[in-house]
Amino acid sequence: MKTVVCQEPYKFTMEETAKTSAKEGEVLVKIRRIGICGTDLHAYQGNQAFFEYPRVLGHELSGEVSEFGHNADQSKLAIGDKVLIVPYLHCGTCVACRRGNTNCCANMQVIGVHQDGGMCEYISVPASHVLKVDDLSLDAMALVECLAIGAHAVRRADIQKGDKALVIGAGPIGLATMQFAKAAGANVIALDLNQERLDFCQADIGVAATVNPKSENAIEKIKQLTNGDFATAVIDATGHAGSMMGAVEYCSHSANLVYVGLSKDKLSYDHPNIHKRELTIMCSRNATLEDFQHVADCLNDGRAKSTCMITHTCKFEDMIEEFPAWTKPETGVIKAMVELND
């Protein structure tokens, strides 16, 4: 089968590898769509945390059930079913797993990050991590993982109906977060430096308001939009240390501040500034099966959108040539989708 390998930063190779078979307790999935995530872009550029080379990237995946391994659970699946893959392989025994927080397993292995992923024609994954979702397209199913990260961040923020939620960063994860904050009943404000992205947030995602710190005073604008209260939930999806530390200034007293973006830098705070607010600062990592199902339900009933985020597509054979352009802001990429086995 054909496999794309990231050998080192800025170097992909297309290789012929032996076609894998379904392993014990696993399902062989014929890959049909690969969504390109910020993690893939960062790994290609050499600035992804928890990463080693060479690696087969790809964790936003949809495809078809091709084969069952010995002792694989077949109660919910059949050959030919269109499915998505939940790429977070948890151990089931660590303290996080025992508490039901499988998304932050102490021994987490993420497909396409810690072990080889789905930039190939076939992949074997545990049957428990293959989800059949009726009435969704292959493109939509490949985006469920991205959306689930946003949905989980909203759950962490404990957003309630009527809350004023600020989402910083209008990349794919930020856009996902905005949608599920809306679905939770919040009045959503989007903050980004890219005006085209903010226009997209308003026109396609339907946020209540936007803020661009390049052209306006962000603190004053958010104060005005919240009647002087500031935001009761702030979710930073930038992964930029300066933005993450500065997000404190947008928080109301008693607010929840959630970091869904990952920075490799250290963060520091003026303690009295966060203490007087009794601010809760937390991180949001990955998503649970519950989040995946919530996303699928929201896509099916119209509370969330997915394919509107796809701005670029290409065939698997052309991906190595197309990929470098997707790292450049001027190309206007929100979400790129790779098609194969069509």
Side-chain angles (χ1 to χ4, degrees):
M1 65 178 182
K2 291 183 174 63
T3 301
V4 171
V5 182
C6 189
Q7 299 287 358
E8 59 189 50
Y10 298 102
K11 183 180 180 181
F12 278 128
T13 58
M14 176 77 79
E15 300 183 4
E16 285 289 341
T17 60
K19 180 184 174 182
T20 188
S21 298
K23 300 174 185 175
E24 176 85 14
E26 297 193 350
V27 175
L28 186 69
V29 177
K30 180 180 182 181
I31 299 297
R32 298 286 305 279
R33 296 290 186 274
I34 307 165
I36 303 303
C37 175
T39 299
D40 302 317
L41 300 173
H42 295 155
Y44 175 74
Q45 295 171 300
N47 55 16
Q48 174 61 34
F50 314 123
F51 197 82
E52 296 179 358
Y53 302 89
R55 178 67 69 218
V56 179
L57 306 180
H59 63 275
E60 295 183 357
L61 306 168
S62 67
E64 299 172 4
V65 174
S66 178
E67 176 185 307
F68 290 99
H70 184 60
N71 289 329
D73 182 3
Q74 301 183 38
S75 61
K76 298 179 181 178
L77 298 169
I79 299 296
D81 279 349
K82 291 182 172 59
V83 295
L84 62 88
I85 292 173
V86 180
Y88 315 126
L89 306 182
H90 58 278
C91 71
T93 59
C94 73
V95 61
C97 289
R98 295 197 309 270
R99 300 181 71 201
N101 301 317
T102 57
N103 59 294
C104 60
C105 168
N107 305 300
M108 177 67 73
Q109 293 286 297
V110 179
I111 294 170
V113 180
H114 306 102
Q115 65 182 54
D116 285 343
M119 285 189 179
C120 53
E121 294 184 280
Y122 293 88
I123 188 171
S124 179
V125 295
S128 58
H129 286 60
V130 175
L131 184 62
K132 179 183 176 182
V133 184
D134 294 326
D135 302 324
L136 289 186
S137 68
L138 288 165
D139 285 345
M141 284 195 292
L143 292 179
V144 168
E145 188 272 344
C146 169
L147 295 169
I149 292 175
H152 187 75
V154 168
R155 191 148 63 95
R156 289 283 285 159
D158 192 29
I159 289 176
Q160 306 295 318
K161 186 175 181 180
D163 278 354
K164 297 178 177 67
L166 172 68
V167 179
I168 305 171
I173 300 300
L175 295 172
T177 303
M178 293 171 201
Q179 295 199 63
F180 290 98
K182 275 188 62 186
N187 296 310
V188 180
I189 304 167
L191 185 150
D192 199 275
L193 298 173
N194 185 320
Q195 189 59 45
E196 289 184 5
R197 287 288 181 95
L198 291 176
D199 292 342
F200 179 88
C201 292
Q202 206 142 36
D204 290 80
I205 303 301
V207 300
T210 63
V211 179
N212 188 338
K214 286 179 69 175
S215 58
E216 54 195 337
N217 185 309
I219 293 176
E220 288 302 317
K221 178 73 174 290
I222 292 165
K223 183 178 180 180
Q224 174 191 348
L225 290 169
T226 59
N227 297 317
D229 291 336
F230 291 96
T232 49
V234 177
I235 303 177
D236 191 293
T238 67
H240 183 276
S243 173
M244 295 164 75
M245 290 183 287
V248 169
E249 301 303 327
Y250 309 135
C251 294
S252 73
H253 284 239
S254 77
N256 290 330
L257 170 58
V258 179
Y259 296 136
V260 64
L262 176 64
S263 172
K264 295 174 71 174
D265 298 321
K266 293 182 179 180
L267 307 182
S268 61
Y269 304 93
D270 171 34
H271 181 249
N273 197 27
I274 61 175
H275 191 91
K276 70 180 182 182
R277 290 175 163 89
E278 198 180 46
L279 195 63
T280 300
I281 301 177
M282 65 188 88
C283 299
S284 178
R285 186 184 183 196
N286 301 328
T288 65
L289 185 59
E290 178 184 356
D291 297 313
F292 276 75
Q293 192 60 62
H294 176 57
V295 169
D297 292 343
C298 288
L299 290 174
N300 273 324
D301 66 20
R303 283 178 289 165
K305 304 176 182 179
S306 59
T307 52
C308 66
M309 297 195 298
I310 300 174
T311 54
H312 294 66
T313 60
C314 79
K315 299 298 183 184
F316 187 53
E317 294 76 12
D318 301 324
M319 193 203 80
I320 293 177
E321 181 180 353
E322 297 285 340
F323 200 97
W326 298 340
T327 67
K328 300 175 182 177
E330 60 267 25
T331 59
V333 175
I334 295 177
K335 177 63 70 173
M337 185 66 65
V338 179
E339 304 170 346
L340 65 163
N341 287 319
D342 282 352

